[in-house]
Amino acid sequence: MDQNISFTLKVWRQNGPKAEGHFDTFEMKDIPGDTSFLEMLDILNEQLIEGGNEPFVFDHDCREGICGMCSLYINGHPHGPAQGATTCQLYMRRFHDGDVITVEPWRSAAFPIIKDCMVDRSAFDKIIAAGGYTSVRTGQAQDANAILISKDAADEAMDCATCIGCGACVAACKNGSAMLFVSSKVSQFALLPQGRVEAARRAKNMVAKMEELGFGNCTNTRACEAECPKNESIANIARLNREFIKAKLAD
């Protein structure tokens, strides 16, 4: 049975991208170990509201590790200390009685703060709009064997497609690079014949949009790979570089 823990919680408060931010400190008492991290923040907000204070703003949606909205930087780790997990999959049993837990937003010029720890990640949507799709006619589904794809390629493309676009790679990178996200989205198409038709345009457009939006460049520290909740591989970055170079040489 999980024991209750008491700890000091420091959360980042900021009223917008241009406002000056600061940490607020709270003493959390007797929180059950089987409480999720977001449920713990719900408890904090209930206490704040009951005391007539403004609640702490953080992003969340599915709370099932699917959407990646729970983008919190916890004790120096995007999504917290648990590997291969989002913040909503983090439980208080990971921490110890008397710990100091520091919660911050994603730190990136491309992810401006909306309020407290909620950031605007629409930059990722703009990168996808620049080329993260295939232009095909929709209609009746083709026979499964009409386009032959090897199991290895299909499996790897599916692994790339599991990227949820949470932005942990950007938060982990000292350069604020979005290369792991972009390369995963490029790779899921580059590995399949349906994606080859627009491969060159896709690589060039998505990389150009990434640079335009202010993301940094990759210097291969592998921090993104270490912190990704879906365990995306930096082999995708190598594939993106190959796709981009081939497109530029073709020009």
Side-chain angles (χ1 to χ4, degrees):
M1 182 177 178
D2 291 319
Q3 295 181 339
N4 291 1
I5 64 169
S6 298
F7 52 90
T8 299
L9 181 66
K10 298 174 67 176
V11 298
W12 184 258
R13 309 301 296 265
Q14 187 171 339
N15 285 324
K18 298 186 183 301
E20 195 169 314
H22 66 278
F23 283 105
D24 278 351
T25 302
F26 304 96
E27 297 299 325
M28 304 299 292
K29 303 292 185 182
D30 297 322
I31 302 298
D34 61 358
T35 303
S36 77
F37 199 88
L38 295 190
E39 289 170 340
M40 180 274 294
L41 294 178
D42 291 337
I43 293 171
L44 168 65
N45 278 342
E46 287 173 2
Q47 295 173 356
L48 289 173
I49 292 169
E50 287 174 1
N53 298 307
E54 189 173 2
F56 167 63
V57 176
F58 60 96
D59 218 344
H60 60 95
D61 191 5
C62 74
R63 298 201 177 198
E64 294 180 345
I66 297 170
C67 69
M69 295 293 287
C70 49
S71 48
L72 297 177
Y73 199 81
I74 303 165
N75 284 357
H77 294 277
H79 291 301
Q83 286 191 322
T86 52
T87 303
C88 61
Q89 295 172 300
L90 177 66
Y91 287 85
M92 299 313 298
R93 67 177 73 97
R94 276 271 179 178
F95 303 94
H96 301 97
D97 200 62
D99 275 355
V100 176
I101 302 174
T102 303
V103 182
E104 302 173 73
W106 281 180
R107 303 289 190 180
S108 170
F111 292 159
I113 290 176
I114 298 172
K115 187 172 176 63
D116 296 345
C117 284
M118 178 183 283
V119 301
D120 180 359
R121 288 174 296 172
S122 60
F124 272 8
D125 298 328
K126 294 173 183 175
I127 293 173
I128 292 295
Y133 55 85
T134 57
S135 300
V136 296
R137 292 182 180 274
T138 58
Q140 185 175 352
Q142 290 181 316
D143 183 84
N145 295 321
I147 301 177
L148 298 180
I149 303 169
S150 71
K151 186 177 188 304
D152 288 344
D155 287 347
E156 191 172 0
M158 182 60 73
D159 289 342
C160 297
T162 59
C163 168
I164 54 177
C166 66
C169 51
V170 178
C173 180
K174 65 179 182 179
N175 305 319
S177 173
M179 284 287 280
L180 189 63
F181 164 75
V182 176
S183 66
S184 295
K185 297 307 179 185
V186 165
S187 291
Q188 72 185 60
F189 294 116
L191 288 159
L192 302 175
Q194 297 95 326
R196 296 312 307 166
V197 178
E198 298 169 293
R201 184 172 63 185
R202 177 181 302 111
K204 289 187 296 183
N205 288 353
M206 292 180 75
V207 168
K209 181 58 69 172
M210 175 181 66
E211 294 176 349
E212 175 192 324
L213 293 169
F215 291 102
N217 202 6
C218 174
T219 49
N220 294 311
T221 65
R222 304 187 73 169
C224 55
E225 184 181 55
E227 300 288 0
C228 175
K230 296 302 178 181
N231 299 310
E232 294 293 334
S233 170
I234 62 165
N236 294 337
I237 297 178
R239 183 179 295 107
L240 170 60
N241 287 335
R242 292 194 298 270
E243 292 286 315
F244 183 77
I245 290 169
K246 283 192 294 184
K248 284 295 187 180
L249 288 175
D251 287 345

